[in-house]
Amino acid sequence: MVKTYHLFLSPYKTSITTLYTLYPQPLSTPIVARVRMKKPRPLGSPTRAPRQFAITASALSIVLPLLTSPFQNAGAEEFDFDRDIKPILSENCFHCHGPDAAERKANLRVDTRDGATADLGGYAAIVPGKASESELIARLTAHDADDLMPPPDSNRTLTHKQITLLTDWIEAGAPWAEHWAFIPPQRPTLPDETKNAKWPRNQLDHFILARLQSHDLTPSPPADKRTLIRRLSLDLTGLPPSPREIRTFLDDASPKAYEKLVDRLFASPHYGERMALPWLDAARYADSNGFQQDGNRHQWPWRDWVVQAMNDNMPFDQFTVEQLAGDLLPNPSHSQVIATAFNRNHMLNGEGGAIKEEQQVNYVADRVDTTSTVWLGLTMACAQCHDHKYDPISQKDYYRFFAYFNNIPETGGVDRRSKGGCSLGNMRSVQYSRPWLEQPTPDQLAVRNETAQTIKQLNASLKAEEAEIANAVSAWEKTVSDHDKKQWQGKFPKDVGLALRTLPKNRTGGQTKIIRDYYLLHTDHDHKNWRSLARKLNSAEKRKTENEDSIIAVMVMEELPKNEKRPTHILDRGDYQSPGPRVQPGTPAALPPLPKKAPKTRLTLARWLTTPDHPLTARVTVNRYWQTFFGIGIVKTTEDFGVQGEQPSHPDLLDWLSREFIDSGWNVKHIHRLIVTSAAYRQSSKVTPRLLEVDPENRLLARGARFRLPSPILRDQALATAGLLLTDIGGMPVYPYQPTDIWNDFSFGKITYPHADSRAQIHRRSLYTFWRRTVKPPNMFDASARQVCTVRSSRTNTPLQALTLLNDVTYVEAARAFAQKILSAAKPEDSDESLLARAFLQATGRHATAKEQALISQAFDEALAHFKNHPEAASDFVSIGVAKTNSSIPDPRVAAFSQVTSLLFNLDEILNKE
């Protein structure tokens, strides 16, 4: 029996593939091998028949174990094109032979099957079923560096396993599939092998369990109730459970105790604050404009809108429409217009040298990048200068999408500067760019109406005598000498002197008014009634200006009138000075088309994003929810669902969740509830050596998620545990402890950090901290600077973070306040050990072990001895922060106990989600 093999041999790479299943043969069985050796033919040369020679099974048996791969003899049905093949082609070939026509080499395209199998003059990159005749394999195994692909200077190299896989795939017929993310999700059925399993608590668990079983793994046992209430409270509200809440949950023996806890946390107003945090990062929300001047802004009403929308469980499709196009809804409410501030959260360049036209293009590009990342999970920004190198997004697609956001009346510069309701007196002025929506308070509206009426009446009174006043001003002017007119810094203010020196016939209306007002207010004329009226008018106008200056405004979206619509052009290499062909608004061709005859507006775009057959929006959104609760998304590359992104760890689960999200009416809390009530979420996070070896990132979810808590939550947790946290919802940003010179360097000393001395400024939730783009709060490590859209934040662990948690004023004060709270509630019979145990229980939610109790008691005894010997150090320590001190407790005792509570704040289980 003859068996046929294809061997591709070169000094650099070797691969082998069988065409038929190799059954055990006698070692003398003859085998015919077809061999290609040395370099392949040049592009376009005729096909050469490979040489053949006979080799025995005995000889082949020596090399087969070295050359075969897990994909050997795979049939077409065994290849997952998205998982196995496309990542290899994308990483190594698409840059030169992909979607970007302008950069495509040798007229060869391998990102589509038609392109990869096209006849290019006697040869093709891929000949389905014939790897030996496929130029792709020939080039991948070339001996000559001039023919080798990828080229040596590309710094890309395929592994032997990858070449073998491509070879087997071609031999199997090169089965092709569209990228998974561009195919609308269908609801998969639950895995058959898990339908009778006892572990699943809801549908999500069936998909998790099936994946675990495929890796011969079993789920971890449930976490204990103390761990679960802490985990759930931090995940749903960003705050730790109180001792009373823990006790209530522990005492509830009902089968639905956990579900009741979930309901209570969903009903908390702090749920919206917790869920707003990642959305603010995605929306690049900040309280300053960025760049060197980094002027302040007032976008915080939009932040409060987000919190309220989350608490109200606003359907995600409505949440989408109002933020992208609330201003285009019929008779939009004030709230719906505020929602559109989402796409005005971009940086704003107010520097004198900034080119407005360039900045205006940059702002629109930022909206494109943010919108495509948040809703589509695509790196559309890559197509700003050329066709996308990897995804099916052309430069024309990019600018058609760009056109939706290019029709607002913005100038590219700063159009207004005001004090704008800054909460502290030494803050820099607020800078606005058109369009904006004012947010006057009732008092400010009252002043506006009152001053308008007063000014109207006074102007009417003066107008009745205007002719007489004009004659008096003219007569006075004749008495002013030319010498006096030149005394801008002495006799007259500069603007008055300039107006007086200008001939009456050449004066502007403003100059005439300047002279008139100066005469009425400051000259020694005899018309006392005029002076009185003028002074009252001047006072009313000043009051009006001050009032208008104090009214905050939110930058929002607004369309230009039809007759002023701004045209959109494809920009050559993204250069605003090089407009090319004009384009109309539209969506990427690779995605479902817009409804026929629908107007080409942002409102149509927003509604298109949440159509039931859209392949991306639901997937991208539920994936971010998964990331919030499990630390890593089902697709790890949360920002990129394109061909360069990571494959889903549980593709069927992702599609099931996506369909469930859509079919539920885009119900956010429904999806969150499914996740947190699943058995997968409730697992213990303890890791075993085998799990660490098989699944170090916990992608298979054989255990509960465990990762470092976000820094805003760490700060809120410390304040809440200490009893310091103020839980008011919403309002202007506040200025907690930061170094007073933290803003000096970037602003050359022009902007100093306000000295906050009230709890209302210092002990609010981290969500409300003033966020300056150039220098984000230093104790918010790993947080986004919010200069651009961020949907996947980094998570690091450095000594500086430990130093912050031990020494930052916020944490030192919180430790001291926590210590005083425990000591102040002590009864005469309480021992130091019992008080320390109580502090441990309140901080962690569990009782200390004997070893832990001994360690914290030892730490307390050592600290107490130190502070008794150094009472001045104890006094200094307890004076840190604005929180009140209990003078009835000796300073050394408070300081020593604070050392222990600081230690508790830095325990691994406090810093991490357990």
Side-chain angles (χ1 to χ4, degrees):
M1 180 177 179
V2 175
K3 300 295 177 184
T4 303
Y5 293 83
H6 293 275
L7 276 69
F8 303 98
L9 307 177
S10 79
Y12 306 110
K13 296 180 176 66
T14 304
S15 65
I16 183 169
T17 181
T18 57
L19 297 182
Y20 307 99
T21 303
L22 177 65
Y23 295 97
Q25 301 291 329
L27 294 183
S28 59
T29 299
I31 297 173
V32 176
R34 309 173 70 206
V35 181
R36 182 187 298 280
M37 302 183 65
K38 298 183 180 179
K39 72 177 184 178
R41 67 189 183 282
L43 286 173
S45 64
T47 303
R48 277 188 309 207
R51 295 166 55 193
Q52 296 189 8
F53 69 93
I55 183 171
T56 65
S58 175
L60 191 60
S61 68
I62 298 175
V63 297
L64 269 177
L66 301 176
L67 301 180
T68 55
S69 76
F71 301 95
Q72 191 73 23
N73 309 314
E77 70 281 355
E78 297 180 45
F79 286 98
D80 186 319
F81 179 75
D82 263 334
R83 180 194 66 207
D84 304 327
I85 305 302
K86 198 164 197 173
I88 302 175
L89 298 176
S90 172
E91 179 63 28
N92 298 283
C93 308
F94 282 12
H95 188 270
C96 298
H97 304 290
D100 187 356
E103 297 295 326
R104 197 175 296 145
K105 304 294 192 296
N107 197 31
L108 173 61
R109 183 174 187 177
V110 297
D111 64 307
T112 66
R113 195 174 200 276
D114 288 345
T117 59
D119 185 342
L120 300 176
Y123 72 96
I126 293 174
V127 180
K130 299 178 181 180
S132 64
E133 298 179 15
S134 298
E135 191 69 21
L136 175 70
I137 302 300
R139 288 306 187 103
L140 292 177
T141 59
H143 171 72
D144 194 319
D146 290 339
D147 295 324
L148 181 66
M149 290 292 167
D153 61 4
S154 70
N155 296 318
R156 289 181 170 88
T157 304
L158 272 72
T159 65
H160 165 73
K161 181 178 178 181
Q162 288 173 318
I163 297 175
T164 303
L165 179 55
L166 289 172
T167 304
D168 290 342
W169 167 67
I170 293 174
E171 287 293 342
W176 206 281
E178 186 180 356
H179 184 56
W180 65 269
F182 294 99
I183 302 172
Q186 302 298 319
R187 186 186 291 269
T189 58
L190 300 184
D192 289 336
E193 62 271 28
T194 68
K195 286 184 177 178
N196 297 320
K198 295 181 180 180
W199 181 72
R201 289 181 179 270
N202 61 33
Q203 295 93 326
L204 278 59
D205 294 323
H206 289 275
F207 298 101
I208 301 293
L209 183 59
R211 193 90 163 85
L212 292 176
Q213 290 175 344
S214 71
H215 285 75
D216 196 26
L217 294 173
T218 56
S220 295
D224 62 81
K225 291 185 75 172
R226 288 186 186 274
T227 299
L228 283 176
I229 186 173
R230 178 175 166 78
R231 177 189 297 176
L232 195 63
S233 297
L234 288 168
D235 273 352
L236 292 184
T237 68
L239 298 174
S242 68
R244 177 183 295 179
E245 290 168 340
I246 294 174
R247 176 51 53 195
T248 300
F249 181 57
L250 294 179
D251 291 344
D252 189 344
S254 68
K256 293 294 184 181
Y258 184 83
E259 285 71 15
K260 287 192 289 184
L261 173 63
V262 171
D263 290 340
R264 179 177 65 79
L265 294 173
F266 272 136
S268 168
H270 303 306
Y271 166 84
E273 292 178 312
R274 170 64 185 95
M275 295 308 157
L277 276 175
W279 193 258
L280 299 192
D281 286 342
R284 71 275 194 238
Y285 165 84
D287 300 302
S288 73
N289 290 324
F291 298 100
Q292 182 173 312
Q293 290 191 356
D294 206 8
N296 295 350
R297 61 169 52 177
H298 282 300
Q299 297 296 91
W300 59 264
W302 173 81
R303 175 248 288 152
D304 289 353
W305 179 91
V306 172
V307 172
Q308 189 61 50
M310 298 288 188
N311 279 330
D312 292 343
N313 196 26
M314 179 182 287
F316 188 77
D317 55 346
Q318 180 184 347
F319 188 70
T320 296
V321 166
E322 292 197 10
Q323 289 184 91
L324 293 183
D327 58 307
L328 299 180
L329 291 169
N331 302 312
S333 66
H334 186 89
S335 172
Q336 289 170 329
V337 177
I338 288 292
T340 68
F342 172 88
N343 257 327
R344 297 302 308 286
N345 282 329
H346 54 75
M347 296 172 68
L348 179 64
N349 194 339
E351 298 175 6
I355 302 171
K356 291 185 177 182
E357 294 81 2
E358 180 181 21
Q359 295 307 315
Q360 191 271 329
V361 168
N362 290 342
Y363 301 157
V364 180
D366 179 272
R367 290 177 204 129
V368 172
D369 187 25
T370 300
T371 303
S372 61
T373 300
V374 170
W375 277 275
L376 301 177
L378 295 178
T379 55
M380 194 176 285
C382 296
Q384 184 176 356
C385 302
H386 49 72
D387 290 348
H388 203 291
K389 297 289 186 183
Y390 303 102
D391 294 330
I393 303 172
S394 67
Q395 192 181 20
K396 181 179 180 180
D397 285 338
Y398 176 89
Y399 283 100
R400 292 176 70 208
F401 204 82
F402 184 101
Y404 285 113
F405 306 101
N406 192 32
N407 196 40
I408 74 169
E410 63 185 345
T411 63
V414 171
D415 304 311
R416 172 185 167 189
R417 301 172 191 266
S418 72
K419 293 179 181 179
C422 290
S423 56
L424 294 178
N426 62 341
M427 294 300 295
R428 192 172 183 151
S429 66
V430 182
Q431 301 176 356
Y432 298 103
S433 169
R434 293 189 183 93
W436 59 71
L437 182 67
E438 290 185 332
Q439 293 277 98
T441 66
D443 287 345
Q444 289 169 332
L445 281 175
V447 172
R448 172 182 282 178
N449 294 333
E450 176 193 332
T451 54
Q453 185 66 23
T454 300
I455 290 170
K456 181 179 179 180
Q457 291 173 351
L458 291 170
N459 275 325
S461 298
L462 285 170
K463 187 175 182 180
E465 302 187 50
E466 195 60 43
E468 226 180 308
I469 292 173
N471 291 333
V473 170
S474 179
W476 169 75
E477 270 198 73
K478 294 176 181 177
T479 68
V480 180
S481 68
D482 289 340
H483 174 75
D484 288 338
K485 292 178 183 178
K486 296 177 182 178
Q487 303 304 304
W488 299 341
Q489 304 300 324
K491 184 74 174 178
F492 299 113
K494 185 177 181 179
D495 58 344
V496 177
L498 285 173
L500 287 169
R501 292 184 64 195
T502 304
L503 294 175
K505 65 179 181 179
N506 295 331
R507 288 175 187 162
T508 65
Q511 287 179 316
T512 300
K513 185 177 185 302
I514 285 172
I515 296 172
R516 169 187 175 274
D517 291 349
Y518 182 84
Y519 170 78
L520 292 174
L521 289 169
H522 302 292
T523 63
D524 192 19
H525 60 78
D526 294 331
H527 303 281
K528 297 187 183 295
N529 185 47
W530 293 355
R531 182 179 290 112
S532 175
L533 289 172
R535 286 178 176 176
K536 288 178 181 179
L537 178 61
N538 183 256
S539 176
E541 288 177 338
K542 282 185 177 179
R543 190 178 179 212
K544 175 187 175 182
T545 300
E546 290 172 356
N547 183 63
E548 295 299 315
D549 205 36
S550 68
I551 295 174
I552 71 166
V554 182
M555 293 185 290
V556 294
M557 297 291 280
E558 175 187 304
E559 288 290 286
L560 284 165
K562 289 184 179 180
N563 61 338
E564 298 177 23
K565 189 173 181 179
R566 184 183 292 118
T568 297
H569 298 266
I570 296 175
L571 302 181
D572 185 26
R573 296 185 178 276
D575 184 358
Y576 77 100
Q577 298 182 97
S578 303
R582 183 172 178 177
V583 294
Q584 297 299 320
T587 54
L591 294 174
L594 292 167
K596 291 182 178 179
K597 297 183 180 179
K600 296 179 178 179
T601 65
R602 277 184 288 113
L603 184 56
T604 297
L605 175 69
R607 288 172 172 163
W608 168 80
L609 286 168
T610 53
T611 51
D613 63 342
H614 199 289
L616 286 167
T617 303
R619 281 188 176 122
V620 168
T621 306
V622 298
N623 188 65
R624 282 202 306 271
Y625 296 156
W626 195 267
Q627 176 181 262
T628 296
F629 294 107
F630 287 101
I632 300 177
I634 297 173
V635 177
K636 185 177 182 179
T637 51
T638 318
E639 71 287 354
D640 188 2
F641 273 49
V643 298
Q644 287 290 91
E646 193 192 62
Q647 291 289 308
S649 60
H650 299 77
D652 285 348
L653 172 59
L654 181 62
D655 281 2
W656 190 94
L657 275 171
S658 301
R659 287 310 320 177
E660 182 70 13
F661 193 30
I662 296 168
D663 296 343
S664 71
W666 301 90
N667 189 324
V668 176
K669 284 187 178 180
H670 173 66
I671 299 300
H672 289 181
R673 185 185 301 277
L674 280 171
I675 293 173
V676 301
T677 57
S678 67
Y681 177 84
R682 300 192 215 186
Q683 293 177 98
S684 167
S685 62
K686 293 179 181 178
V687 63
T688 65
R690 182 163 185 266
L691 286 180
L692 193 61
E693 178 184 0
V694 174
D695 188 19
E697 287 191 300
N698 196 29
R699 302 302 307 283
L700 300 176
L701 294 173
R703 55 188 170 91
R706 190 182 191 283
F707 52 89
R708 213 269 318 283
L709 292 168
S711 53
I713 292 180
L714 288 177
R715 178 181 173 275
D716 294 348
Q717 174 181 239
L719 293 175
T721 304
L724 293 178
L725 187 68
L726 297 180
T727 56
D728 301 351
I729 306 293
M732 295 186 69
V734 296
Y735 306 90
Y737 302 119
Q738 289 191 55
T740 55
D741 60 352
I742 191 169
W743 294 344
N744 288 10
D745 288 345
F746 89 85
S747 67
F748 302 102
K750 294 180 180 178
I751 307 180
T752 58
Y753 190 78
H755 175 66
D757 57 5
S758 70
R759 288 194 57 210
Q761 288 290 330
I762 293 170
H763 297 148
R764 293 290 308 280
R765 287 199 71 167
S766 301
L767 179 74
Y768 305 113
T769 295
F770 186 96
W771 206 273
R772 188 168 292 288
R773 281 192 162 105
T774 44
V775 187
K776 68 180 183 183
N779 59 8
M780 303 288 186
F781 42 81
D782 286 347
S784 166
R786 297 182 179 164
Q787 296 179 343
V788 295
C789 167
T790 304
V791 293
R792 180 167 55 134
S793 58
S794 61
R795 192 179 297 125
T796 63
N797 191 359
T798 70
L800 285 177
Q801 294 169 7
L803 290 172
T804 295
L805 294 168
L806 286 166
N807 299 301
D808 184 86
V809 178
T810 296
Y811 291 97
V812 174
E813 181 189 39
R816 190 255 296 172
F818 185 25
Q820 286 185 319
K821 184 173 76 169
I822 298 293
L823 292 172
S824 298
K827 298 177 181 178
E829 64 270 20
D830 287 332
S831 64
D832 288 344
E833 288 74 14
S834 66
L835 294 176
L836 291 168
R838 192 175 301 160
F840 189 97
L841 177 61
Q842 289 194 18
T844 66
R846 67 175 179 85
H847 293 285
T849 65
K851 183 178 181 180
E852 290 166 336
Q853 182 69 46
L855 287 171
I856 61 176
S857 294
Q858 179 183 349
F860 173 72
D861 292 341
E862 291 175 356
L864 184 60
H866 170 77
F867 284 120
K868 282 183 175 178
N869 291 329
H870 300 85
E872 70 287 348
S875 298
D876 289 344
F877 186 90
V878 301
S879 66
I880 294 174
V882 301
K884 292 181 179 179
T885 59
N886 188 338
S887 58
S888 65
I889 306 173
D891 288 351
R893 184 167 174 77
V894 174
F897 213 97
S898 300
Q899 293 292 301
V900 176
T901 51
S902 177
L903 181 153
L904 296 178
F905 282 155
N906 284 272
L907 288 177
D908 187 71
E909 64 188 278
I910 296 293
L911 302 181
N912 290 277
K913 170 182 173 175
E914 288 284 341

